[in-house]
Amino acid sequence: MRKFVFFGGKGGVGKTTMSSAYAVKCARAGVSTLLVSTDPAHSTRDVFDQSFTDTPEPVEDEPNLDAMEIDPETEVREHLMETKRALGEQVSPAMVNEIDRQIEMAHQTPGAHESALFDRFIDVMRDSDQYDRIVFDTSPTGGTLRLLSLPEYLDGWIQRLLHKRKQSVKLFERAAIGNNEPRRMMEGDPIIARLEQRRDDFNFAKEMLQSQAAFFLVVNPDELSIRETKRAVEQLDDYGLDVRGLAVNRLTPEPDPDEQGRGATFLRNRVKTEQERLRELREDLSPPLVAAIETRVAEVKGDFLGEVADEIEVGVELTTN
Amino acid sequence: MTLAARIESFRELVVEWLRGLYHGMITHPAYEKIEKQAEDDEDAFMLACFPDAFGIPSPVSYYTAELLPYLEDEFEAWERRMWDRGSLLERKGHQYHF
């Protein structure tokens, strides 16, 4: 399995359960593992009965496992503070108010959270040397897909901005008559430097996601979840990302044959429709089923986690492809 | 003053005038044009960076916001140019000194 493993899917299908179980599986097999939750409504803390922060912390009773929770809200706030600090250092007091407003506005745009989250993604992937495996528990499908499409999308934008900036600076340099200092200079231009830094970040992310990441989609055996998964598989394929498998969660347990009560009939009917859905998943979608987990009576925690982990047929050993 | 000296000073005057004329008529407007074009390009850059200043949401404004501290002069000049530009024609017209 590749170094970065992502679990995605519709809201409420059990992504956290699956990703936690897989992380535990890796850790117990002796692979040093980091579990990263990127869902703003974190539930990793509920699975392990332990609170986590923005920096990796060891999980109790799991020697090879660390976990962290990324909070986009905090990331956005920090970015805002940092930008404002730079503003205070660079800009004359008369202009500060004007620019300040602009900065505030930029941090309230709809994309701000995603961008902040994405920055953290890049950081986590960059500083991942001490771990052999990083498991991402992502936010529900829509958000994740947008997040993963960001490098492709933003790269184009940044390239355009960079091109425009270079063009105008070049002209300013040419317009400087004789020994006059040009108004802008290519060399040491902070704008070009920053944009180039961004471009490199995006390329790095794209490279990592395409060559070192594997994706698993968690599905429930119901119509809506299956349809959303189909779309997600298509989109991930479009971005050139590698969908390795589907993990079906919340399957109904079959009653014993001698049971004939109302409950047993209900369960039997339910199992029948679910088998139908499973067949659909197997036939219509290219990624194979890697796990079929039955509904648990209690929340998946502690001991259950190990049981679920055993049912996930995803390798833990590190390979590059 | 000898004749040679008078011719010499006259020639200097002519050369200075010619150089001035050449600069005023040919080189200066050319540099001015280049600078104007550079400003136009910069305006386009600023607009692409901060369209939300005009209420257009931008997917990268989160990233471009961190450029703002380094864009003080540009930002001010941009706003000023945006205010006093009647039309594209008017701005392009500035290069002809009627």
Side-chain angles (χ1 to χ4, degrees):
Chain A
M1 195 43 49
R2 289 178 169 179
K3 179 163 186 177
F4 305 107
V5 178
F6 288 77
F7 283 86
K10 195 169 155 294
V13 291
K15 291 180 295 296
T16 308
T17 307
M18 288 289 184
S19 48
S20 306
Y22 181 64
V24 165
K25 186 182 169 119
C26 292
R28 289 186 184 165
V31 179
S32 85
T33 306
L34 172 67
L35 175 64
V36 184
S37 167
T38 60
D39 190 338
H42 294 295
S43 32
T44 351
R45 55 184 70 190
D46 302 325
V47 173
F48 293 104
D49 269 332
Q50 188 187 337
S51 62
F52 298 105
T53 59
D54 192 49
T55 43
E57 278 167 51
V59 176
E60 282 161 29
D61 304 326
E62 298 288 348
N64 285 320
L65 185 61
D66 284 3
M68 67 187 282
E69 292 179 344
I70 299 176
D71 181 14
E73 198 76 53
T74 324
E75 297 301 322
V76 171
R77 215 165 30 237
E78 262 167 34
H79 187 261
L80 180 67
M81 284 304 149
E82 210 171 289
T83 314
K84 281 194 169 175
R85 202 162 46 241
L87 185 71
E89 281 164 16
Q90 295 282 333
V91 175
S92 66
M95 275 302 285
V96 163
N97 278 340
E98 191 67 33
I99 294 181
D100 207 37
R101 232 184 17 228
Q102 186 66 36
I103 291 179
E104 293 265 355
M105 203 147 63
H107 285 80
Q108 282 160 14
T109 52
H113 271 195
E114 279 164 355
S115 307
L117 207 51
F118 191 68
D119 281 358
R120 284 296 284 152
F121 257 63
I122 296 177
D123 286 347
V124 170
M125 291 196 276
R126 276 234 164 93
D127 307 333
S128 63
D129 289 345
Q130 55 163 317
Y131 298 102
D132 294 326
R133 161 103 359 97
I134 299 192
V135 181
F136 288 92
D137 171 20
T138 63
S139 51
T141 318
T144 311
L145 286 178
R146 298 240 326 138
L147 198 65
L148 298 174
S149 66
L150 276 178
E152 197 77 46
Y153 184 51
L154 293 182
D155 188 50
W157 260 91
I158 296 289
Q159 295 280 25
R160 252 179 62 199
L161 289 180
L162 202 54
H163 172 72
K164 280 215 155 72
R165 176 71 183 179
K166 280 189 176 158
Q167 206 171 22
S168 70
V169 172
K170 198 171 73 194
L171 287 172
F172 273 122
E173 276 182 347
R174 283 196 190 145
I177 311 172
N179 293 328
N180 284 359
E181 186 87 345
R183 266 158 69 182
R184 320 247 183 277
M185 280 197 291
M186 205 69 93
E187 217 163 277
D189 185 71
I191 306 298
I192 291 179
R194 291 215 155 217
L195 289 174
E196 277 176 347
Q197 172 68 43
R198 280 294 176 205
R199 187 195 54 194
D200 294 347
D201 282 352
F202 295 145
N203 283 339
F204 170 80
K206 198 162 114 187
E207 170 73 28
M208 283 292 161
L209 288 174
Q210 288 182 348
S211 70
Q212 288 197 43
F215 295 83
F216 291 93
L217 291 167
V218 183
V219 209
N220 282 359
D222 64 66
E223 198 64 45
L224 276 178
S225 173
I226 290 175
R227 255 191 263 162
E228 184 159 332
T229 306
K230 271 184 198 163
R231 276 197 298 270
V233 170
E234 276 166 28
Q235 265 177 298
L236 288 170
D237 272 345
D238 281 351
Y239 301 141
L241 304 174
D242 182 18
V243 186
R244 286 293 173 91
L246 307 172
V248 185
N249 191 19
R250 300 232 164 92
L251 285 171
T252 308
E254 200 163 3
D256 289 334
D258 58 317
E259 286 178 272
Q260 290 305 326
R262 208 165 141 223
T265 319
F266 171 80
L267 287 182
R268 223 164 264 133
N269 285 338
R270 186 126 192 113
V271 168
K272 220 173 100 194
T273 39
E274 282 178 6
Q275 288 306 325
E276 183 60 27
R277 301 261 160 73
L278 278 181
R279 196 184 53 75
E280 197 181 323
L281 271 179
R282 282 209 184 87
E283 285 170 8
D284 294 3
L285 287 171
S286 49
L289 291 188
V290 293
I293 314 275
E294 280 190 357
T295 302
R296 294 286 193 275
V297 180
E299 292 300 306
V300 175
K301 275 183 178 180
D303 297 341
F304 271 156
L305 215 51
E307 279 178 37
V308 173
D310 291 339
E311 290 177 51
I312 302 177
E313 292 163 36
V314 179
V316 291
E317 66 281 359
L318 205 63
T319 53
T320 42
N321 51 63
Chain B
M1 204 183 265
T2 64
L3 184 63
R6 279 167 61 193
I7 289 174
E8 185 60 29
S9 73
F10 180 69
R11 279 181 50 138
E12 269 171 23
L13 193 71
V14 169
V15 166
E16 195 186 325
W17 265 85
L18 279 178
R19 197 185 294 134
L21 267 175
Y22 183 75
H23 177 68
M25 291 175 74
I26 312 289
T27 49
H28 184 66
Y31 281 123
E32 209 176 61
K33 255 194 231 169
I34 294 173
E35 195 149 58
K36 280 255 159 67
Q37 184 59 46
E39 283 176 357
D40 283 351
D41 282 349
E42 196 169 275
D43 288 351
F45 169 78
M46 296 295 284
L47 189 61
C49 272
F50 311 109
D52 39 352
F54 299 94
I56 305 160
S58 153
V60 291
S61 54
Y62 180 81
Y63 292 115
T64 51
E66 67 191 41
L67 305 178
L68 270 168
Y70 308 94
L71 283 171
E72 183 190 10
D73 300 338
E74 284 96 327
F75 198 75
E76 202 178 2
W78 177 54
E79 282 195 323
R80 206 174 47 241
R81 286 199 294 265
M82 287 289 131
W83 288 331
D84 67 23
R85 179 179 300 183
S87 67
L88 189 64
L89 203 63
E90 186 206 327
R91 180 161 163 81
K92 290 287 176 203
H94 279 313
Q95 56 186 277
Y96 306 104
H97 301 266
F98 295 122

